[in-house]
Coordinates of all heavy atoms in Angstrom, one line a residue:
Chain X
F1539 N 104.7 101.7 109.5 CA 106.0 102.2 109.8 C 106.6 101.5 111.1 O 107.7 101.1 111.1 CB 105.9 103.7 110.0 CG 107.1 104.3 110.7 CD1 108.4 104.4 110.1 CD2 107.0 104.8 112.0 CE1 109.5 104.9 110.8 CE2 108.1 105.3 112.7 CZ 109.3 105.4 112.1
N1540 N 105.7 101.4 112.1 CA 106.2 100.8 113.3 C 106.6 99.3 113.1 O 107.5 98.8 113.7 CB 105.1 100.9 114.4 CG 105.2 102.3 115.0 OD1 106.2 102.8 115.3 ND2 104.0 102.9 115.1
K1541 N 105.8 98.7 112.2 CA 106.2 97.3 111.9 C 107.5 97.2 111.1 O 108.3 96.3 111.3 CB 105.1 96.7 111.0 CG 105.0 95.2 111.0 CD 103.7 94.8 110.3 CE 103.8 93.4 109.7 NZ 102.8 93.1 108.7
T1542 N 107.7 98.3 110.3 CA 109.0 98.4 109.6 C 110.2 98.5 110.6 O 111.2 97.8 110.5 CB 109.0 99.6 108.7 OG1 108.0 99.4 107.7 CG2 110.4 99.7 108.0
L1543 N 110.0 99.3 111.7 CA 111.0 99.5 112.7 C 111.3 98.1 113.4 O 112.4 97.8 113.7 CB 110.6 100.5 113.7 CG 110.6 102.0 113.2 CD1 110.4 102.9 114.4 CD2 111.9 102.3 112.5
E1544 N 110.3 97.4 113.6 CA 110.4 96.1 114.3 C 111.2 95.1 113.4 O 112.0 94.2 113.9 CB 109.1 95.5 114.6 CG 108.4 96.1 115.8 CD 106.9 95.7 115.9 OE1 106.6 94.7 115.3 OE2 106.2 96.5 116.5
T1545 N 111.0 95.1 112.1 CA 111.5 94.1 111.2 C 112.7 94.5 110.4 O 113.5 93.6 110.0 CB 110.4 93.6 110.2 OG1 109.9 94.7 109.6 CG2 109.3 92.8 110.9
A1546 N 113.0 95.8 110.3 CA 114.1 96.2 109.4 C 115.4 95.8 110.0 O 115.6 95.7 111.2 CB 114.1 97.7 109.3
E1547 N 116.3 95.5 109.1 CA 117.6 95.0 109.5 C 118.5 96.2 110.1 O 119.2 96.0 111.0 CB 118.4 94.4 108.4 CG 117.7 93.0 108.0 CD 118.2 92.5 106.6 OE1 119.1 93.1 106.0 OE2 117.6 91.5 106.2
D1548 N 118.3 97.3 109.5 CA 119.1 98.5 109.9 C 118.5 99.8 109.3 O 117.5 99.7 108.6 CB 120.6 98.4 109.5 CG 120.7 97.9 108.1 OD1 119.8 98.2 107.3 OD2 121.7 97.3 107.8
M1549 N 119.2 100.9 109.4 CA 118.7 102.2 108.9 C 118.6 102.1 107.3 O 117.7 102.6 106.7 CB 119.5 103.3 109.3 CG 119.1 104.7 108.8 SD 117.5 105.2 109.4 CE 117.9 105.9 111.0
A1550 N 119.6 101.5 106.7 CA 119.6 101.4 105.3 C 118.3 100.7 104.8 O 117.8 101.0 103.8 CB 120.9 100.6 104.8
D1551 N 117.9 99.7 105.5 CA 116.8 98.9 105.2 C 115.5 99.8 105.3 O 114.6 99.7 104.4 CB 116.7 97.7 106.1 CG 115.8 96.6 105.6 OD1 115.4 96.6 104.4 OD2 115.4 95.6 106.3
V1552 N 115.4 100.5 106.3 CA 114.3 101.5 106.5 C 114.2 102.4 105.3 O 113.2 102.7 104.7 CB 114.3 102.2 107.8 CG1 113.2 103.3 107.9 CG2 114.3 101.3 109.0
L1553 N 115.4 103.0 105.0 CA 115.5 104.0 104.0 C 115.2 103.4 102.6 O 114.5 104.0 101.8 CB 116.8 104.7 104.0 CG 117.1 105.6 105.2 CD1 118.6 106.0 105.2 CD2 116.2 106.8 105.1
A1554 N 115.6 102.2 102.4 CA 115.3 101.5 101.1 C 113.8 101.2 101.0 O 113.2 101.3 99.9 CB 116.1 100.2 101.0
G1555 N 113.2 100.9 102.1 CA 111.8 100.7 102.1 C 111.0 102.0 101.8 O 110.1 102.1 101.0
A1556 N 111.5 103.1 102.4 CA 110.9 104.4 102.1 C 111.1 104.8 100.6 O 110.2 105.3 100.0 CB 111.6 105.5 102.9
R1557 N 112.3 104.4 100.1 CA 112.5 104.7 98.7 C 111.6 103.9 97.8 O 111.0 104.4 96.8 CB 114.0 104.5 98.3 CG 114.2 104.7 96.8 CD 115.6 104.7 96.4 NE 116.3 103.5 96.6 CZ 117.5 103.2 96.3 NH1 118.3 104.2 95.8 NH2 118.1 102.1 96.5
L1558 N 111.4 102.7 98.1 CA 110.4 101.8 97.4 C 109.0 102.5 97.4 O 108.3 102.5 96.4 CB 110.4 100.4 97.9 CG 109.4 99.5 97.4 CD1 109.6 99.2 95.9 CD2 109.3 98.1 98.1
C1559 N 108.7 102.9 98.6 CA 107.4 103.5 98.8 C 107.2 104.8 97.9 O 106.2 105.0 97.3 CB 107.1 103.8 100.2 SG 105.4 104.1 100.6
I1560 N 108.3 105.5 97.9 CA 108.3 106.8 97.1 C 108.2 106.4 95.6 O 107.4 107.0 94.9 CB 109.6 107.6 97.3 CG1 109.6 108.2 98.7 CG2 109.8 108.6 96.2 CD1 111.0 108.7 99.1
R1561 N 108.9 105.4 95.2 CA 108.8 105.0 93.7 C 107.3 104.6 93.4 O 106.8 105.0 92.3 CB 109.7 103.8 93.5 CG 111.2 104.1 93.6 CD 111.8 104.9 92.5 NE 111.5 104.4 91.2 CZ 112.0 104.9 90.0 NH1 112.8 105.9 90.1 NH2 111.6 104.4 88.8
L1562 N 106.7 103.8 94.3 CA 105.4 103.4 94.0 C 104.4 104.6 94.1 O 103.5 104.7 93.3 CB 105.0 102.3 95.0 CG 105.7 101.0 94.8 CD1 105.6 100.1 96.1 CD2 105.3 100.2 93.6
L1563 N 104.7 105.4 95.0 CA 103.8 106.6 95.2 C 103.9 107.5 93.9 O 102.8 107.9 93.4 CB 104.4 107.5 96.4 CG 103.8 108.9 96.5 CD1 102.4 108.9 96.8 CD2 104.6 109.7 97.6
F1564 N 105.1 107.7 93.4 CA 105.1 108.5 92.1 C 104.6 107.8 90.9 O 104.1 108.4 90.0 CB 106.6 109.0 91.9 CG 106.9 110.2 92.7 CD1 107.5 110.2 94.0 CD2 106.5 111.5 92.3 CE1 107.7 111.3 94.7 CE2 106.7 112.6 93.0 CZ 107.3 112.5 94.2
S1565 N 104.6 106.5 90.9 CA 103.9 105.7 89.8 C 102.5 106.0 89.9 O 101.8 106.3 88.9 CB 104.2 104.2 89.9 OG 105.5 103.9 89.6

Side-chain angles (χ1 to χ4, degrees):
Chain X
F1539 165 68
N1540 282 314
K1541 204 170 154 195
T1542 300
L1543 290 190
E1544 284 166 21
T1545 51
E1547 290 166 5
D1548 47 28
M1549 180 64 82
D1551 199 11
V1552 175
L1553 290 169
R1557 177 168 63 178
L1558 172 64
C1559 195
I1560 290 169
R1561 294 287 309 185
L1562 294 163
L1563 168 66
F1564 276 95
S1565 289

